[in-house]
């Protein structure tokens, strides 16, 4: 069903509203779609973060007051491995004395309240099983963590414009049917499924 969804996705998807403020209900020529708004936003952000590595200056927001972190010894060791990557994504980091790090700016889409958790999440990931892995998969991990922290929360009411924006941008991504963590984003109910349900097939 997911493969079918991928093939037939076109820009004539029309959002109708939301279910539980978490899933976009939409229609297209094939029938009905339910779109996980959080997964859709994660996919859009993930693709954006992966593209940032190309060299362009990332969108960054300065923190009014730089936040300082005291890293564990393991996190401090991991820091050296990922700090370039993090700067490329919009972080501005400064190593202070010992294991203390100051964060002066964070990626534009990331809520400031998520910065601290994100940083330790990434450092812990690198320190764990991921150490010494290929650069590319490390970049994927970091971009996926960042996308998850920056994405829309569930139970968020969306305007018609915001739903339209999500759908249009999702369709431009590398993989509109799965989020960066591999979960499906779109469920489909085709006209045939619907007719069968009403015993009209
Ligand atoms: Zn996900």
């Amino acid at each position: 069903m997911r493969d079918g969804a991928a093939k037939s996705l076109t820009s004539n998807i029309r959002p109708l509203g939301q279910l539980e403020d978490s899933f976009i209900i939409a229609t297209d020529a094939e029938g009905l779609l339910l779109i996980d708004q959080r997964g859709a936003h994660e996919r859009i952000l993930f693709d954006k973060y992966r593209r940032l590595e190309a060299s362009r200056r990332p969108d960054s927001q300065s923190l009014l007051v730089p936040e300082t972190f005291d890293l564990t010894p393991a996190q401090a060791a991991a820091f050296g491995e990922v700090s370039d990557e993090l700067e490329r994504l919009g972080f501005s980091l400064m190593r202070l004395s010992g294991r203390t790090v100051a964060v002066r700016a964070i990626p534009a889409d990331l809520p400031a309240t998520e910065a601290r958790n994100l940083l330790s999440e990434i450092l812990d990931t690198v320190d764990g099983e991921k150490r010494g892995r290929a650069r590319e998969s490390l970049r994927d991990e970091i971009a996926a963590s960042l996308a998850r922290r920056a994405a829309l929360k569930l139970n968020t009411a969306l305007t018609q414009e915001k739903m339209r924006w999500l759908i249009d941008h999702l369709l431009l991504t590398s993989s509109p049917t799965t989020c960066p963590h591999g979960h499906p984003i779109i469920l489909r109910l085709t006209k045939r499924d619907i007719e069968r349900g009403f015993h009209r097939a």
Side-chain angles (χ1 to χ4, degrees):
M1 201 139 152
R2 255 157 67 197
D3 291 346
K7 257 175 253 149
S8 61
L9 285 180
T10 59
S11 52
N12 59 25
I13 297 176
R14 211 157 53 85
L16 303 179
Q18 282 173 291
L19 182 65
E20 307 272 323
D21 282 348
S22 299
F23 304 95
I24 298 170
I25 304 165
T27 57
D28 68 0
E30 308 288 319
L32 201 64
L33 303 96
L34 280 180
I35 303 170
D36 177 341
Q37 66 194 40
R38 179 169 167 74
H41 197 207
E42 278 184 0
R43 167 53 64 188
I44 293 165
L45 291 171
F46 176 84
D47 278 31
K48 176 181 154 182
Y49 294 136
R50 286 305 262 113
R51 276 199 310 272
L52 285 179
E53 275 141 31
S55 76
R56 203 171 63 81
R57 262 181 77 80
D59 290 342
S60 209
Q61 50 181 334
S62 296
L63 299 178
L64 286 178
V65 181
E67 273 209 70
T68 56
F69 294 77
D70 292 317
L71 306 179
T72 64
Q75 288 177 332
F79 183 79
E81 276 193 56
V82 294
S83 57
D84 283 357
E85 217 61 63
L86 294 173
E87 299 257 347
R88 214 166 283 154
L89 291 167
F91 280 94
S92 171
L93 304 161
M94 200 168 54
R95 192 140 194 183
L96 304 176
S97 59
R99 298 200 304 266
T100 308
V101 167
V103 180
R104 293 181 300 188
I106 59 175
D109 314 280
L110 184 71
T113 49
E114 294 282 357
R116 180 174 292 272
N117 290 335
L118 175 71
L119 201 60
S120 34
E121 178 179 291
I122 289 173
L123 293 174
D124 290 341
T125 311
V126 174
D127 177 59
E129 77 274 27
K130 306 287 161 17
R131 190 155 234 171
R133 275 177 51 178
R135 265 287 121 177
E136 283 305 297
S137 59
L138 176 63
R139 285 177 175 164
D140 280 345
E141 293 283 341
I142 293 175
S145 288
L146 185 47
R148 190 163 68 82
R149 296 277 174 190
L152 276 169
K153 301 292 173 241
L154 291 176
N155 301 303
T156 302
L158 299 179
T159 61
Q160 192 70 20
E161 290 70 33
K162 186 72 186 180
M163 289 191 270
R164 182 78 265 164
W165 183 94
L166 277 172
I167 291 169
D168 289 345
H169 286 77
L170 177 64
L171 294 176
L172 297 174
T173 62
S174 58
S175 174
T177 56
T178 48
C179 87
H181 310 94
H183 304 133
I185 294 174
I186 298 176
L187 289 183
R188 244 194 197 294
L189 201 55
T190 64
K191 281 188 289 194
R192 182 192 282 234
D193 295 331
I194 294 167
E195 281 165 4
R196 274 210 205 99
F198 288 117
H199 297 184
R200 287 175 190 276

